[in-house]
Amino acid sequence: MSSKLIVALDVDDINIAESLINSLIPQVYIYKIGAYLFTAYGPEVIKMVHAKGGRVFLDLKYHDIPSTVANAVTEATKLDVWGMTVHTSGGFSMLKEAVKAAGNTAEELQIDKPLILGVTVLTSLREKDLDEMGINRKVEKQVKRLAVMAQNAGLNGVVAPAQEIELVRKNCGKDFIIATPGIRSKDAQVDDQKRVLTPREAIEKGSDYLIVGRPITKAPDPKEAAKKILVEIQNE
Ligand code: C5P
């Protein structure tokens, strides 16, 4: 069982999600649930993953005033998720409150504290988009700034695509977790990903977790597709 691979369950039907897990477990242990599936089914989908023996990376990218985010993080922690995401651009206080809420709730319930990972600059944004938002700097500079702030606020790590792995590793040290989307095996379809890395390249650059969606979920044989990626990860 490899825990370096996170499969993104970006599907619209809980039954499809369940049959994917049936074919991927026990090879794949962690499943990313995003706004798509969670908005449709809510906590039911988390319970389904747990019933199958998997863990959940709840990718709802919380971004609100600190107390609201703290309340949401408390509820997600009660659901015993493995990890969750918050938007680092919500600010230092919001991030600190999120970390505190996860820690307090986990302690109360005597469960493991879920990982809190930050989203820095969305991969869909370019320098021009930042400029429109009044942020007059290059994307990398903003990513670095937000990642360092996230670390100072106590976050466990960030979600960082291919081109940002080394930047985050260099500035946040070896213990800061990096989870990387945009992973494609050689010759695989790139979909809408702008820059991709192979599983092995991402691990070599310093990523801790690889987030893979369509190459597995849309594959004719998801189990085989996951197996191929796991072999590439293990051939470090
Ligand atoms: O492309 P793939 O299906 O493997 O995407 C997996 C995850 O990567 C998605 O759930 C999404 O969060 C993220 N993603 C991204 N940038 C894109 C497309 C997807 O970060 N352009």
Side-chain angles (χ1 to χ4, degrees):
M1 188 185 291
S2 171
S3 52
K4 278 190 185 270
L5 177 61
I6 300 176
V7 169
L9 291 176
D10 296 325
V11 295
D12 62 356
D13 184 331
I14 195 167
N15 297 313
I16 296 173
E18 188 168 359
S19 58
L20 276 166
I21 297 173
N22 282 339
S23 55
L24 295 173
I25 242 172
Q27 290 186 89
V28 178
Y29 179 56
I30 309 167
Y31 295 89
K32 183 168 90 74
I33 293 172
Y36 195 10
L37 202 54
F38 194 81
T39 303
Y41 295 95
E44 186 193 344
V45 75
I46 297 179
K47 289 173 187 152
M48 180 276 287
V49 177
H50 288 170
K52 299 274 159 200
R55 300 295 315 268
V56 170
F57 179 36
L58 190 61
D59 184 23
L60 299 180
K61 299 184 177 68
Y62 296 128
H63 185 173
D64 210 314
I65 58 170
S67 61
T68 300
V69 168
N71 289 337
V73 169
T74 296
E75 293 308 315
T77 305
K78 285 187 194 166
L79 293 168
D80 198 17
V81 298
W82 169 85
M84 68 184 92
T85 52
V86 293
H87 259 292
T88 55
S89 47
F92 188 75
S93 303
M94 189 204 86
L95 300 176
K96 266 192 98 159
E97 289 298 313
V99 171
K100 196 167 106 191
N104 289 345
T105 310
E107 199 180 320
E108 258 167 50
L109 300 175
Q110 305 266 296
I111 55 174
D112 288 338
K113 181 190 152 299
L115 295 177
I116 310 284
L117 301 187
V119 173
T120 57
V121 178
L122 293 171
T123 54
S124 51
L125 299 177
R126 299 280 165 270
E127 198 173 328
K128 176 180 158 286
D129 302 293
L130 293 190
D131 193 56
E132 279 167 359
M133 293 191 277
I135 301 165
N136 304 312
R137 68 169 71 95
K138 290 200 181 304
V139 172
E140 310 86 79
K141 282 220 155 152
Q142 183 68 357
V143 168
K144 175 180 154 188
R145 189 155 182 161
L146 291 172
V148 169
M149 180 184 71
Q151 187 173 38
N152 289 335
L155 259 67
N156 300 99
V158 289
V159 177
Q163 63 272 31
E164 292 163 12
I165 299 173
E166 287 156 311
L167 174 81
V168 174
R169 189 53 77 221
K170 187 167 150 242
N171 288 282
C172 299
K174 66 175 177 39
D175 296 330
F176 200 56
I177 293 171
I178 300 176
T180 304
I183 301 295
R184 294 293 183 271
S185 294
K186 267 204 186 83
D187 309 324
Q189 198 177 312
V190 170
D191 301 308
D192 57 358
Q193 295 285 6
K194 298 267 185 326
R195 276 192 61 185
V196 297
L197 283 186
T198 67
R200 193 158 171 187
E201 284 167 341
I203 296 285
E204 280 171 1
K205 276 186 190 282
S207 183
D208 298 292
Y209 294 98
L210 309 185
I211 302 171
V212 184
R214 289 161 291 185
I216 293 176
T217 59
K218 302 275 184 249
D221 185 345
K223 187 175 178 170
E224 267 313 304
K227 212 184 257 176
K228 200 175 149 214
I229 290 174
L230 286 168
V231 167
E232 287 189 51
I233 292 175
Q234 276 142 19
N235 280 348
E236 276 174 63

